[in-house]
Amino acid sequence: RRTLIAGSAFHATSPVAALSPMFYVDVEAQADARVELPSEHEERAAYVVSGSIEIDGERFDAGQMVAFAPDAAAYLTVRDAARVMLFGGAPLGDVHVFWNFVSRSQPRIEKAKADWRAGRFVSVPGETEFIPLPDDAAPVSKGSPTS
């Protein structure tokens, strides 16, 4: 059984809106089934939810994820009845990361830092502690204390 959750794969398109070319498929299969990943997407991966699979002679069990090389044939063989999530899509391109902020735009990262400092993020219900940005933290004293 294959269920397309989002994106396009296997000559079908999900009604779920996607902002870039991608696919997300839930697969349930019995032992010895061969599952091929969509070839129209450059980046592809599989996450084993339950059971086990084999790829090129290597076994992967529940909780493991496998990323496939771009432009390579991508398929797996189910060893024990398994549930596997298949996903991927177009490459993201350059991505900037700072602390908990991820964006394709460095100016957007800088705006997020300013918004965090100014308290413009929605707070977590019941949480009162403010955690400063790593570059805003007070310097940590190194060395031994003096008396």
Side-chain angles (χ1 to χ4, degrees):
R1 180 193 65 79
R2 287 190 311 213
T3 304
L4 178 62
I5 297 170
S8 297
F10 308 115
H11 309 289
T13 299
S14 167
V16 175
L19 301 178
S20 64
M22 56 87 65
F23 70 98
Y24 186 41
V25 179
D26 178 7
V27 174
E28 288 187 55
Q30 297 303 311
D32 298 323
R34 179 182 160 109
V35 177
E36 188 165 352
L37 279 77
S39 60
E40 64 268 24
H41 298 281
E42 184 177 344
E43 295 190 349
R44 296 161 296 166
Y47 177 79
V48 184
V49 176
S50 63
S52 65
I53 62 171
E54 187 176 296
I55 300 169
D56 293 333
E58 188 173 351
R59 182 184 173 116
F60 298 90
D61 297 310
Q64 292 186 290
M65 185 172 79
V66 181
F68 294 87
D71 302 322
Y75 65 89
L76 55 92
T77 303
V78 175
R79 284 296 156 229
D80 299 321
R83 183 171 188 189
V84 182
M85 303 308 289
L86 310 177
F87 55 95
L92 290 176
D94 291 337
V95 175
H96 303 274
V97 177
F98 175 82
W99 192 45
N100 292 321
F101 305 132
V102 179
S103 176
R104 292 186 189 186
S105 160
Q106 186 61 40
R108 190 162 182 204
I109 294 283
E110 295 305 318
K111 180 174 182 336
K113 289 164 74 172
D115 288 346
W116 183 263
R117 285 184 194 107
R120 289 189 285 263
F121 277 76
V122 176
S123 61
V124 175
E127 183 61 54
T128 58
E129 179 184 12
F130 175 78
I131 299 173
L133 290 174
D135 64 347
D136 290 347
V140 175
S141 175
K142 294 185 179 182
S144 57
T146 58
S147 26

